[in-house]
Amino acid sequence: MSELGLLVAFAVGWLIYAGGKRLDLRAFFRVTGVLLILFAAGLLAHGIHELQEAGLLPVVIEHVWDISPILSDEGTLGSLLKALLGYNANPSLLEVAGYIAYLLAASVAWRRSSRARPAAGSPAG
């Protein structure tokens, strides 16, 4: 049985290696960069939510919207979106503002840093 596991591990490793040679790394890291920005914005919004529950941040408008009947954050898809992107079916105004502000600031910083680097193969001049 351990030989079968070793064979499967070898096959999976070889497939990853063979597929990785054809992978466009620039596109891969662009997509993962966008996903990391979305993850971080969700973490910030969730942190704001927790600080509001603890009474350390003010609650200006408690629920900007409530789409729980459409996509509850207690369901399967909602809990997956909540874990990955910080989804909240009924966010407060401060959560929405924090999420959007972080997305804007991080997107601007990311685009500036990608423009500052010379393209691969071009002179650094």
Side-chain angles (χ1 to χ4, degrees), residues 5-65:
L6 186 61
L7 184 64
V8 169
F10 177 76
V12 168
W14 184 82
L15 287 172
I16 290 172
Y17 172 74
K21 288 195 311 186
R22 292 183 300 232
L23 181 67
D24 180 11
L25 290 178
R26 182 173 301 222
F28 174 77
F29 285 114
R30 188 176 303 129
V31 169
T32 55
V34 169
L35 287 175
L36 283 173
I37 289 173
L38 290 172
F39 294 159
L43 283 172
L44 176 68
H46 185 69
I48 290 171
H49 173 79
E50 294 298 319
L51 289 172
Q52 286 177 329
E53 281 189 353
L56 299 173
L57 284 177
V59 179
V60 180
I61 297 176
E62 189 171 2
H63 302 295
V64 177
W65 60 73

Side-chain angles (χ1 to χ4, degrees), residues 12 17-18 20 25 28 37 40 42 46 66 70 79 87-88 91 94 101 122 125:
V12 168
Y17 172 74
L25 290 178
F28 174 77
I37 289 173
H46 185 69
D66 187 0
I70 299 168
S79 61
Y87 171 75
N88 187 353
L94 196 56
S122 66

